[in-house]
Amino acid sequence: MTNDETGRLLSEIGQLLARDTDYPLDGTLLYAEVDDNYVAPSIYKNTPDQIVYRHPDLRDLGDALLDLWRAQTGNARWEEIEYVLSDGKFDATFTYPDEIDRDEDRMDRRDRIVKRHFGDKPIFYPPWPYDDDVPRYEL
């Protein structure tokens, strides 16, 4: 992956995160797991009293993350990205397969990463926005 291509894709991801105008862009964490045809992004906003989870738009953000992942060259591809926006700048950290503890629960890992960036505040997960459209069945 060239530095130009990496920079372009990372800037695109920042622009996609900026679409959420309900919270300031400053204090945003995008944590995502990415693999071949798989992307699992989580977005968090740091507020004074809590950390707020924001539902990602998988269409555009998922495509941008997969493009970034696919643009890598070589055999060792990263599996996780931590993308933090602070003071008008972003910092992206990539985690490679040999750096991941496979015995750690994915959700525990995600929560630990959020706390590392934003401290030990409660994380608020709002209701899934599509809950009304999901059919429910009783057994």
Side-chain angles (χ1 to χ4, degrees), residues 7-106:
R8 184 190 69 74
L9 290 166
L10 290 171
S11 291
E12 179 182 338
I13 290 169
Q15 292 168 8
L16 293 170
L17 293 171
R19 290 182 182 173
D20 179 3
T21 57
D22 290 343
Y23 291 88
L25 187 58
D26 196 52
T28 298
L29 165 65
L30 164 66
Y31 167 73
E33 297 176 36
V34 184
D35 203 344
D36 192 32
N37 295 316
Y38 170 81
V39 62
S42 298
I43 302 170
Y44 296 89
K45 299 287 187 164
N46 189 20
T47 69
D49 300 327
Q50 63 186 354
I51 301 162
V52 179
Y53 176 83
R54 303 296 291 162
H55 297 289
D57 178 351
L58 289 176
R59 290 175 301 240
D60 294 335
L61 184 58
D63 288 346
L65 287 165
L66 283 172
D67 288 345
L68 180 64
W69 185 83
R70 288 180 180 136
Q72 298 178 86
T73 57
N75 292 334
R77 290 182 179 231
W78 56 267
E79 284 189 18
E80 297 177 350
I81 183 172
E82 296 171 44
Y83 185 104
V84 181
L85 290 149
S86 181
D87 298 325
K89 299 176 185 175
F90 72 83
D91 181 50
T93 304
F94 300 100
T95 304
Y96 292 83
D98 61 339
E99 301 171 320
I100 297 171
D101 178 0
R102 300 295 178 189
D103 292 330
E104 183 179 28
D105 179 80
R106 287 181 154 170

